[in-house]
Amino acid sequence: MKKINYFLSILTLSILATSCSNSVSDDFDDMNQDVAEKRLKKISSNQNGEDISVSFSYDGNNKLTGITGVSRNETSSIQYTNTGDLLNVSAQGLNETLNLEELFQSPFNAYELGQVVSYDDNRNPSQISFEDQVYNYNTGQYETISLTAEIIYDDAPNMYFYTLKAAGIIDILDKVQLDFSMNAQASEIIKASQLLPMNNPVKFVYKNENGGVEASIDISYTYDQDNYPINAIAVLNARSSSETVAINFSYN
């Protein structure tokens, strides 16, 4: 399932990452004071006539124990075992579960591919540079282009934060020091840590190297009494298409 892949990269690449100054929890608490702790129970959507859902399960201690995705009447399950300070993943294919760009049908993957250029006042990555492959209809071939994503966020808590915490990731981020001897992984680990937002994106604008807009996504949320998004409507505008996507979120 395509939309169940990004979460694993955030989980695994973030395990050994740490903030240069404050911990991730400190940053989140500073930006979202007195927030209720809510963990995702289900994400559901209908896209192009296809019902898509992802369900999260927890044990009595509110630890994430499994994720089940349903798409085209197919079901896949991912089980987690929390062994102290390490999280063992017993199945693959989870990376994109919490990637809003994928859920909103973005043609690009700035969070997955990019490097942070700047942050907003709430420590959200507000400008991300990245390269992507696009199809050139004139040549009939794919070509690499340089892009920048400009992102605006709401002032509500990142709806995924306590789900990541339930998986053991946030606590590990708060405790583990980055090991720079891990040469092959260090850059990816740092990137994953830098790209974790504190709030929820409400607008993406993707620009090419000349400043031209390649695509944009405008997102409106309905929030519950604790200021967590429960519904999202995203309108994607690209050069050759326009699409509206609705997504529902529920919590434990």
Side-chain angles (χ1 to χ4, degrees), residues 54-215:
V54 180
S55 299
F56 302 79
S57 56
Y58 304 85
D59 65 15
N61 296 317
N62 291 323
K63 289 184 177 180
L64 180 68
T65 57
I67 298 177
T68 300
V70 178
S71 177
R72 293 178 182 170
N73 298 318
E74 297 178 357
T75 301
S76 59
S77 296
I78 293 89
Q79 298 299 319
Y80 291 86
T81 302
N82 205 329
T83 57
D85 289 335
L86 295 177
L87 190 71
N88 294 329
V89 181
S90 61
Q92 296 181 349
L94 186 60
N95 300 35
E96 292 169 8
T97 298
L98 301 186
N99 185 354
L100 285 178
E101 284 183 285
E102 289 288 344
L103 289 172
F104 294 147
Q105 297 293 292
S106 170
F108 303 112
N109 289 294
Y111 282 126
E112 184 176 355
L113 302 174
Q115 300 288 337
V116 178
V117 176
S118 61
Y119 292 90
D120 65 17
D121 292 340
N122 284 3
R123 196 197 167 277
N124 295 303
S126 57
Q127 189 174 38
I128 301 173
S129 63
F130 64 104
E131 293 184 341
D132 206 349
Q133 296 284 322
V134 298
Y135 187 76
N136 187 321
Y137 288 94
N138 293 324
T139 64
Q141 296 181 344
Y142 282 92
E143 59 184 34
T144 300
I145 62 172
S146 297
L147 295 158
T148 300
E150 297 176 357
I151 310 169
I152 300 173
Y153 298 82
D154 63 11
D155 60 359
N158 182 336
M159 69 184 85
Y160 303 147
F161 183 85
Y162 287 108
T163 304
L164 291 168
K165 189 174 180 67
I169 300 307
I170 299 300
D171 289 342
I172 293 170
L173 281 169
D174 289 344
K175 289 188 285 187
V176 176
Q177 295 296 317
L178 182 62
D179 182 358
F180 284 99
S181 67
M182 300 174 60
N183 295 327
Q185 298 181 11
S187 62
E188 293 181 343
I189 294 168
I190 292 170
K191 182 172 72 171
S193 178
Q194 292 172 338
L195 288 168
L196 181 65
M198 300 294 106
N199 304 114
N200 308 293
V202 296
K203 187 178 184 68
F204 294 85
V205 178
Y206 302 96
K207 295 182 178 181
N208 59 36
E209 56 190 356
N210 297 317
V213 175
E214 294 286 334

Side-chain angles (χ1 to χ4, degrees), residues 32 35 38 154-157 200 223-229 251:
N32 303 282
V35 63
K38 290 193 170 184
D154 63 11
D155 60 359
N200 308 293
Y223 301 89
D224 66 13
Q225 68 276 10
D226 296 311
N227 209 25
Y228 278 81
Y251 304 87

Side-chain angles (χ1 to χ4, degrees), residues 20 28 47 83 210 219:
C20 295
F28 184 81
Q47 299 181 12
T83 57
N210 297 317
I219 309 154

